[in-house]
Structures are given as C-alpha cells and as structure tokens.
Amino acid sequence: MKHFLALCVALSSLVSASASTTWEKVSVNGQSRDMKVHVPDNTPSGAALVIACHGMNQSAQWHDDNSKWTAVSDTAKFVLVFPEGIDHGWDISGNRDVDFVCAIIDKMEQDHNISTGRVYLTGFSMGGMFTYHCANRIPDKIAAFVPVSGYPMWDKSAYSSRPVPIMHVHGTGDDVCVFSGVQPTLDNWIKHNGCNTVEKLIDPYPEGNRNKGAKMHIWDDGKDGVEVRLLELAGKGHWQSEDPVYCLTSIEGWNFMQRWSLGPDAPKVTGVEPEDGSFDLPLNGMDISLTFDMNVDGYEAEAQLMKDGIPVNLDVKSNGNVITLTVPEIERGEYSLSLRNVKGENDGIMKVFKATYTFGLEEVGDVPPYNQVFNPDLRAEENTVGEGIPTGWYRINTRGNGEKDEKTSGSVNTGGARMKYFMTGGDFNEGFYLSARDYDRCEITYGKYTPDYALHFDKGRYVATFNSVYWNKGSLDGNVKFDFTVRALDGTVAASFPSLPSTGNMDEQQGRIEGSTYHSLEFDIPADGDYTVTYSMTSGWSAVIVGNLKIATAMSTAERYKGTFQRTLKEAQDLYTSLSDDILPTEEAQNLKATIESYESLVSTSPTVYEQATAALADAIAQVSEIAAVGTLLEYCNEDGDCYDVFGRRINKANLSKGQIYIQNAKKRIAK
C-alpha cells in the first residue's frame, strides 16, 4: 500500500471553480440507480474518486448541501460522486448497494478514467454504517474508508480480506449513534488490522485557532502499514462538522484518504508445490515452491510458518516467476504459512499469501474421529413454544434508529423471525424462518444464556453444517443472502461467514423441504471458552429457512483425505471379497477389482491425489452395489424384448422383479 504526502487544504482555497455537475444513472442488477457526479475543470487523467454516502432519510443532494466535499474536490481535483440510496437508506448487510458502489467505480473509470487504485468511500450516519459494511465486503475496490457519525449497530466484526485504513469521525454529544459505540467498533478493526493497541493521542490543530476540543486518536503500524484513526469532536452532535473555527470533516477526510492507494495489480500465485493443505511432510527440512503470474522479486519478502503462536522464519529465494521457501528442521504439527511483500515486475506488491501444512507422519483410524458439540433438538419443543423461540435461543429485530424487538428463550408463538415445522422426510424437518420483515435486521442466537445454555468450545477447528432454502419466489428471485457468525461472549468474532446463498423455494408452504443448499463451514476457535452462534439477515420481508444445524470437531487434513481414502479402500476390498460367483465376471466387478489394485499401494502427501482416488473407488463401489443390491444378474434385452443374462440364458422379461436392472436398446433400465 502506497502512502501519499498529505495535502493540507487551506480554508481560504475552498472556492468553487468551474466544474461539471450532473445527475446520472447506472444500471445495477437490472435496476436503474441515481447519483450526483461532480467533475472539476482540468481534472487530470487517473484522478482519485471519492464516493460520499448520505444518512438515513436524507439524499445525495442533502449530503452535497451539508458538506464541503464539492469544494474540496474542486481544490484537490478528484472526481466526486454522491450516490442516492433506495428509500433514502442503504443495505448495510447485503450486496444490493455494495454492487451499486462497484458499478459507480466501473462507470467513473469508463467515463472519466479515474484511478481504480485511488477510490475512497465516506458516509454520514447510516452512510457511515454502510462504509464499514463495504470495508468488509469490497476492500479490494476501496483504498481507504472514512465513516462519519455512524457505525454498525449490531455486527461490529472486522473480517476484510486485507488490512484497511480507517478514520472515524464522531462527536461526543451524538444522541443518535452515541459516542460510546465507537470504540468497540474500532477495537475490532485495530485487532484485525494488526495495529498497535496503545494509541497515540495528538492535537490535530497545534498551531491553528480552532477549538481545542478536537482530538485525534491514532493506532498505527498495522499490517501493510495501515492505521486506524478516531477524530473525536467534543460536544458535537449527530451532524457533519463543517465549522471553519472547529473542524471541517471533509478536509480531514480527504487529508487522510489521499495517503493511501491500492497500487498496481499484485502478483498472483498460480501454483504451489506441495499444494496447500499437504500433510505427512518431512520433519528434517524441505522446500516449498510458489509460481507467480509474473516475474517477482523476493528481496524484501518475509515468510514464516506459525504454530501455537510460535513463528519459524523461512529462507526466501526468487528466480524469475518462482519463489522457493526453505523449511528448516521442524517439530511435528500443523503450521500456517504466510508469505508477504513479494514485489512484481510491475511494482505491485502481494500483501500476503497463506497456506496450511502438516509436518510429520500422521496415523489415521478405521473410524473417523468425530466429537459432536452442538445438535439442538428443535422439534422437541413444537408443543411448548410452537412457532416461537426455542429454549436457549434469543431473537432480536433491529431498526437503523436503534429500535429493537426482542424475543427471549422459550417465547411462545411469536411473530417475525421464529421456528417453523415441516413434513418429515425432507432435507430437514424444522428450522428458523429468518426474516427482518418490517425491521432492518434480524438475528437468532444460541449461547447468550450462560451457564444454563452455554455453548462451550475448546481451542481447535470445528465444522458447522446446516441447510437453507428460500421461503418464497421473491426471496429466490432477489437472491437474498444471510450470515452465520461465531463470537466469544465479549463480542469478539471468531468466525464470520457473510452472504450465504440458498437454493429451492418453499413457496410459503409448510410442506416437505427439498432442493435446499447444504452448508459446511469450517472455523477455528482461538481459545477455550463459551461462544455464541448467530444467524442474521436483512432484506426486509424476504426470508430463508435454515435448519439441521450441527457443530462438531473437524477432522485433521490427514484424516479427511488419507483417512477417508483408506476407509473407502477397505470398503471396496470388503465388497469385492463378498461378491458371489455370478457377480464376479461382470464388467462392474472387474472394474472394482482393477480400481482397488491401482490404488492399493498409494502413498502421497497431496489432498487432491487422495480425493481423486477416493472418488474413483466410491464410483466403482456404487456400480457394483447397484448390481448386488437386486440380488440377481444384470439382464440384457434385445430390440424384440427378449432378455438374456450374461451367460446367454434366456429370461422372460415379464418375470423380472420390480427394481431389477436390465439393458434394452443399449440403455440401462429398471424393471417397474
């Protein structure tokens, strides 16, 4: 990430020059969206782009009228866009308005040749909430973020794919988004960005005559050099501070923004040997090779393996488009690899590449290790809570203004997000109806009530599995998403899975659920303790049904791939030895034998190799099982309807049993 010398825009220079200001439209997912675009005269090619989002129940024009962004744009010569939110608000958990921002960037690049590496996002109030949302969702599109008087009211987690610079501006007298909610939000970003946890506190105006109530809190030295800042404005309320004798938010925002750039495209890894996830690797030293899509320089690159917080530094050598990492003698265990600061021939810098390796031979068992941690019996309470909130669960619906509708453990036959029950025999038989309805967001959580209904995890890796299905056609057509989050009791996010999709359509009927999406989500728990799990979504009256939640300890990589292969191989061997003499000559049985022989001596460190071998064995097992299951030979019928078995004995087709397999006109058929 590049730093640019801050430009201190003098107050006297904020005089509007001749410029082009137009109302424009852009198509986003088939919907026409409005925006106010300001382009100063003599704006250079490759100029920066600032996108400034209004607050709830406000507009693009209001935001322009009540800020100094246009004047700053005229002075600093960047392109400025004020987007117009739908119904004067923003989608602060889904993708509707995230896609809008991406469409704005694309259009401004096409129309005004802006620099896609110098795009910045700011927003006031709900626009500030949306700014945080975009920091998590599209950090690869935005170089820096400046939220003003707004922060996430519920999920304050930071899970962006890269460290991002953030400067938050907030008045201590704000009675809408109260000042006390700022620091918990910033703490998550300080930790996520790897910044110093001890702040630096400076007077932002040491020589000016402006009010000394302004304080700049700085948490610096984050990963890739990023910072988190808080401009605290003593006594200011819920408004943009554009007071020339106190603080001009727009100037401070721009001075922070312009220091950051995404820079040229970073080199990308195109091949890894051994592959990510490899196991049974030697303990006495080896090389890891990474191939890139361009020639690279590893002179300033840093590589290390990490296990239980203890780093092992690796020697880095580069040659053309290949970097080689030399691993010293190492202890047994699973390690996470990180490689940083690889410079490409175009001057782009790869921030970080991560992979996981397991060193030391691991024995696997005949039975996969499986420790189920959480498997709630939601059907058991149908007669007590009905369509309510099951024991141990908690539901909260929230509006952007902070208004809440809470339903506690055991609430009976509630409205809104709640339990639903379905015909048995489907993908799942009961689940949560997840919908914000006339609120902005809904959450359904387990683990809030301790100690009676605690959800305890020991440090380690886990897998959560569940199914989801759309409730109606509107939800299906809208492609609405939901989130799944695991948190410690202090609110710290252990794992976040945003924007999960679904399939199928219940059509608002409580029938049998079929065609749902199966989700399998792996996550790491950093420390022993009690945690919560939460389903959440927005999208108004759209809804999904989620059910069949189970959480268990995850298998090690060796168990998952080598162990699954060895267990499948044994299943294949046992099946073949059990086949009767009349099944053994069939093509399917002979294919099973050949497949077993080709993999009996397989030894590898590669998950992919074991995965392919397991799939081949499973397919051969399925083919033979299909024949053996009917208990008779596979029959063949000619075009006249005469059927013969593989030994040439004529069989009357009319006497075939239901479910019996035969071949007619070169197609496999099943007798009915």
Side-chain angles (χ1 to χ4, degrees):
M1 180 170 290
K2 296 182 178 179
H3 299 249
F4 289 84
L5 180 63
L7 171 64
C8 294
V9 183
L11 294 175
S12 60
S13 69
L14 291 182
V15 179
S16 292
S18 177
S20 167
T21 301
T22 56
W23 281 94
E24 300 182 19
K25 294 182 180 294
V26 63
S27 178
V28 184
N29 299 325
Q31 185 174 19
S32 180
R33 300 295 299 271
D34 297 315
M35 57 185 172
K36 187 177 183 181
V37 180
H38 181 82
V39 183
D41 269 5
N42 302 317
T43 299
S45 176
L49 168 65
V50 173
I51 302 172
C53 300
H54 60 76
M56 187 176 183
N57 296 324
Q58 297 168 354
S59 65
Q61 186 62 55
W62 184 96
H63 198 42
D64 188 6
D65 293 341
N66 288 272
S67 71
K68 299 295 184 182
W69 277 114
T70 297
V72 177
S73 169
D74 288 336
T75 302
K77 302 299 183 184
F78 58 78
V79 177
L80 174 64
V81 174
F82 295 99
E84 188 78 59
I86 293 177
D87 296 329
H88 305 292
W90 301 103
D91 178 3
I92 53 179
S93 68
N95 292 322
R96 184 193 69 192
D97 292 326
V98 170
D99 292 343
F100 185 19
V101 170
C102 293
I104 291 172
I105 296 170
D106 291 343
K107 184 168 176 57
M108 293 303 100
E109 181 186 17
Q110 176 182 328
D111 294 352
H112 303 292
N113 195 31
I114 57 99
S115 168
T116 56
R118 299 182 63 213
V119 178
Y120 309 106
L121 184 66
T122 183
F124 170 69
S125 191
M126 191 180 192
M129 301 176 194
F130 179 58
T131 300
Y132 277 110
H133 180 53
C134 288
N136 274 324
R137 296 296 176 95
I138 49 172
D140 57 325
K141 297 282 188 180
I142 311 292
F145 301 83
V146 179
V148 180
S149 302
Y151 48 78
M153 288 294 189
W154 38 82
D155 187 354
K156 301 180 185 298
S157 57
Y159 53 85
S160 62
S161 59
R162 72 172 182 93
V164 294
I166 293 176
M167 186 176 81
H168 187 108
V169 184
H170 216 106
T172 60
D174 194 327
D175 60 352
V176 177
C177 293
V178 295
F179 186 74
S180 61
V182 176
Q183 197 61 51
T185 302
L186 294 182
D187 285 343
N188 285 337
W189 285 99
I190 292 164
K191 179 179 179 181
H192 178 73
N193 285 341
C195 298
N196 287 330
T197 56
V198 178
E199 69 176 7
K200 296 177 181 177
L201 185 61
I202 65 172
D203 178 356
Y205 312 114
E207 298 176 359
N209 63 351
R210 278 177 273 180
N211 192 305
K212 296 300 181 179
K215 298 178 182 178
M216 184 72 79
H217 307 257
I218 303 173
W219 297 268
D220 57 7
D221 290 338
K223 290 175 284 189
D224 297 338
V226 305
E227 294 177 356
V228 173
R229 291 192 172 206
L230 167 61
L231 180 55
E232 175 186 342
L233 307 178
K236 288 293 185 180
H238 191 68
W239 58 75
Q240 289 251 143
S241 175
E242 301 293 5
D243 182 353
V245 297
Y246 192 100
C247 171
L248 282 89
T249 300
S250 305
I251 293 180
E252 298 301 335
W254 171 246
N255 284 338
F256 177 77
M257 290 172 175
Q258 66 168 329
R259 297 173 53 212
W260 312 96
S261 172
L262 295 176
D265 289 339
K268 297 180 178 62
V269 177
T270 59
V272 186
E273 180 61 39
E275 69 177 282
D276 182 14
S278 291
F279 48 87
D280 290 353
L281 297 174
L283 296 172
N284 56 355
M286 59 169 292
D287 287 341
I288 298 173
S289 175
L290 292 86
T291 303
F292 292 81
D293 62 351
M294 63 178 74
N295 288 337
V296 294
D297 180 4
Y299 179 72
E300 295 183 356
E302 299 176 353
Q304 64 178 205
L305 293 168
M306 183 76 72
K307 175 178 177 287
D308 296 332
I310 301 175
V312 177
N313 294 323
L314 308 182
D315 180 50
V316 181
K317 295 179 181 178
S318 60
N319 182 13
N321 68 330
V322 176
I323 278 187
T324 302
L325 310 177
T326 299
V327 181
E329 188 169 338
I330 201 168
E331 294 182 356
R332 181 186 303 274
E334 182 178 276
Y335 291 76
S336 59
L337 167 72
S338 63
L339 172 64
R340 299 180 182 275
N341 301 327
V342 175
K343 185 176 183 180
E345 59 187 0
N346 65 346
D347 290 333
I349 298 176
M350 182 193 73
K351 307 304 182 193
V352 63
F353 168 80
K354 293 185 177 181
T356 302
Y357 297 104
T358 304
F359 293 84
L361 185 65
E362 181 177 341
E363 298 295 331
V364 295
D366 293 337
V367 178
Y370 184 81
N371 178 24
Q372 190 161 271
V373 178
F374 188 53
N375 182 16
D377 184 4
L378 300 178
R379 193 79 181 199
E381 297 188 73
E382 181 180 9
N383 295 327
T384 55
V385 301
E387 290 195 359
I389 308 302
T391 302
W393 292 82
Y394 166 80
R395 186 263 278 167
I396 179 170
N397 289 351
T398 314
R399 291 195 173 99
N401 62 8
E403 183 180 348
K404 298 179 181 180
D405 172 33
E406 301 178 66
K407 297 299 179 184
T408 56
S409 170
S411 295
V412 177
N413 293 323
T414 62
R418 60 191 186 277
M419 280 299 302
K420 285 282 189 180
Y421 303 93
F422 309 98
M423 293 174 58
T424 60
D427 296 347
F428 57 96
N429 303 326
E430 58 278 329
F432 288 110
Y433 169 80
L434 194 61
S435 173
R437 295 168 75 85
D438 55 352
Y439 283 77
D440 294 308
R441 180 181 178 85
C442 75
E443 299 180 4
I444 293 178
T445 298
Y446 187 92
K448 176 183 174 67
Y449 301 106
T450 57
D452 293 337
Y453 304 106
L455 179 57
H456 185 86
F457 293 129
D458 292 332
K459 179 181 179 181
R461 178 167 294 178
Y462 294 81
V463 57
T465 60
F466 51 87
N467 295 67
S468 69
V469 64
Y470 292 112
W471 174 242
N472 55 21
K473 189 175 187 299
S475 303
L476 172 65
D477 292 343
N479 194 29
V480 298
K481 304 293 198 301
F482 68 98
D483 306 331
F484 180 78
T485 310
V486 182
R487 294 183 180 88
L489 291 185
D490 64 1
T492 303
V493 174
S496 178
F497 301 93
S499 295
L500 297 175
S502 302
T503 50
N505 175 16
M506 282 295 298
D507 199 23
E508 301 190 29
Q509 301 297 315
Q510 291 180 269
R512 182 178 288 109
I513 294 180
E514 295 176 341
S516 65
T517 295
Y518 175 74
H519 303 272
S520 180
L521 311 175
E522 287 202 12
F523 58 93
D524 291 309
I525 292 295
D528 297 1
D530 291 336
Y531 289 78
T532 64
V533 293
T534 299
Y535 290 113
S536 57
M537 71 174 293
T538 57
S539 302
W541 287 78
S542 296
V544 296
I545 304 293
V546 292
N548 203 29
L549 172 63
K550 297 181 178 67
I551 301 178
T553 52
M555 289 188 288
S556 68
T557 308
E559 276 287 359
R560 185 183 312 157
Y561 294 102
K562 182 173 67 172
T564 301
F565 161 75
Q566 290 185 0
R567 290 184 286 270
T568 306
L569 176 63
K570 186 176 186 303
E571 180 184 351
Q573 292 168 330
D574 292 344
L575 175 61
Y576 184 77
T577 58
S578 70
L579 294 178
S580 59
D581 292 342
D582 54 353
I583 298 293
L584 285 171
T586 64
E587 180 181 348
E588 289 81 358
Q590 291 304 303
N591 177 59
L592 176 63
K593 178 182 179 183
T595 305
I596 291 171
E597 291 174 347
S598 65
Y599 290 119
E600 275 184 317
S601 301
L602 175 63
V603 176
S604 178
T605 64
S606 165
T608 299
V609 169
Y610 279 118
E611 196 171 37
Q612 292 171 344
T614 301
L617 285 165
D619 183 61
I621 289 170
Q623 292 181 29
V624 173
S625 297
E626 193 174 26
I627 302 171
V630 298
T632 63
L633 293 172
L634 188 66
E635 285 94 14
Y636 296 83
C637 304
N638 63 23
E639 293 182 1
D640 296 328
D642 295 322
C643 299
Y644 299 84
D645 64 22
V646 292
F647 300 109
R649 294 175 296 198
R650 184 169 179 171
I651 297 175
N652 187 340
K653 181 180 177 181
N655 294 331
L656 291 176
S657 303
K658 182 178 179 180
Q660 201 165 332
I661 299 170
Y662 63 99
I663 299 296
Q664 186 172 28
N665 296 335
K667 294 183 179 179
K668 181 185 291 186
R669 303 186 186 278
I670 301 176
K672 298 181 180 179

